[in-house]
Amino acid sequence: PRTAFLDKLLRDELKLRSLAWHDAYDSSYRSPPGAVEEGTEITFSAVTFGGVDAVTLCVCGDSFSLMPLPGGKYLAALSDGMGSGSQAARESENAVALLETLCLGRMEVRQAYDTVNELLQLRRKSAEVFSTMDACILDLSRGICSWGKIGAVPGYLVRSGRVTTVTGSALPLGVLSDPEPSISDRVIKEGDLLVLLSDGIYDALTDSCQDGIALMLPELCRGDVSFIAGELVRRALAKSDGTARDDMTAIAIRITAA
């Protein structure tokens, strides 16, 4: 039963949420010998911050993957389980795990998205449980990024201080029986910055009149990827008066020469 003591403990824990449910991940990957861009390096950082409410204190519904693939490719994927709590986390984890498996098996990008969506439909128990998917497959051998989106908020490509917004379909993954993923091939060059976000950050920093993220990225891109991802989360929290009303995840990826 809820008691005054438990209510106070809950309030105190909410005040400490930035320490309790914040996580960060940093790494790098270098293209293999024989690649067209031999020695090209990808540095990346992911910062995630679980949205907190009175029911799901420390369960983040966002899941992400950053991993090398066969043939000098690299996968960066972010799935946002709609809603909150363990069910949302399971849905997004399933979506990411399936995409990882299919990409490791060298499945074509569009077919992989269709397969993930079909399997999620079979697994889901409730018609109200969906996940988004936002993924980049970076081919360092060809200098191409295949960026696919279903239901995900816009992402960003920053080159020489100029920001390009990458948009996708509007409906969440799992809603449509025959989805049409939005997939675009982008040329990637040394110095490029790619940013993937969950809607907790996007909604906090943008409105109907202005894309605040596109405005701040030219300034933020001067820092390293750890700073960029962390600063996006920090600014989104500041805009939300320090309260993560939804899960927040930022992934920053930079292409550099060895």
Side-chain angles (χ1 to χ4, degrees):
R2 293 286 293 272
T3 66
F5 171 76
L6 288 177
D7 285 339
K8 180 179 184 303
L9 180 61
L10 175 62
R11 289 194 299 272
D12 290 343
E13 287 182 336
L14 290 175
K15 292 176 184 177
L16 295 173
R17 61 191 173 277
S18 61
L19 296 178
W21 302 292
H22 172 275
D23 195 13
Y25 181 74
D26 299 279
S27 189
S28 63
Y29 172 72
R30 183 169 297 181
S31 59
V36 174
E37 300 294 335
E38 181 175 338
T40 299
E41 187 176 43
I42 298 174
T43 57
F44 58 85
S45 178
V47 175
T48 184
F49 188 99
V52 180
D53 58 38
V55 178
T56 59
L57 271 179
C58 51
V59 178
C60 181
D62 296 344
S63 297
F64 67 87
S65 175
L66 299 162
M67 64 181 295
L69 298 173
K73 297 181 180 180
Y74 200 90
L75 171 67
L78 171 60
S79 179
D80 181 356
M82 307 304 285
S84 60
S86 58
Q87 182 64 48
R90 282 194 297 269
E91 289 300 315
S92 64
E93 287 170 2
N94 288 337
V96 168
L98 287 168
L99 184 60
E100 286 178 340
T101 300
L102 297 174
C103 289
L104 285 170
R106 299 174 184 263
M107 182 176 284
E108 191 271 335
V109 175
R110 183 173 293 278
Q111 185 180 359
Y113 267 78
D114 290 343
T115 303
V116 168
N117 189 72
E118 181 180 349
L119 292 175
L120 280 179
Q121 294 246 6
L122 294 174
R123 294 174 68 93
R124 122 180 150 228
K125 297 180 180 178
S126 168
E128 299 301 319
V129 179
F130 311 118
S131 297
T132 67
M133 180 61 74
D134 192 5
C136 293
I137 297 179
L138 297 99
D139 187 339
L140 298 183
S141 297
R142 298 190 300 135
I144 296 292
C145 170
S146 295
W147 200 324
K149 287 178 172 288
I150 300 179
V153 299
Y156 301 87
L157 171 63
V158 185
R159 177 178 298 156
S160 301
R162 298 182 61 181
V163 180
T164 300
T165 303
V166 181
T167 58
S169 58
L171 293 176
L173 188 62
V175 175
L176 301 175
S177 59
D178 186 17
E180 289 294 333
S182 300
I183 301 175
S184 59
D185 287 341
R186 309 272 172 165
V187 174
I188 50 176
K189 299 181 177 181
E190 179 186 346
D192 283 358
L193 173 72
L194 294 82
V195 177
L196 287 71
L197 305 168
S198 62
D199 59 2
I201 293 180
Y202 184 81
D203 292 344
L205 295 178
T206 64
D207 55 40
S208 58
C209 299
Q210 192 174 65
D211 185 341
I213 299 170
L215 292 175
M216 68 179 63
L217 279 176
E219 170 202 348
L220 295 184
C221 71
R222 299 170 186 166
D224 61 22
V225 289
S226 297
F227 169 79
I228 295 166
E231 189 66 14
L232 286 167
V233 172
R234 285 189 289 271
R235 293 191 183 192
L237 283 170
K239 277 281 189 178
S240 305
D241 298 322
T243 300
R245 298 181 179 89
D246 194 2
D247 301 321
M248 296 180 177
T249 300
I251 298 175
I253 307 161
R254 175 165 279 144
I255 314 299
T256 59

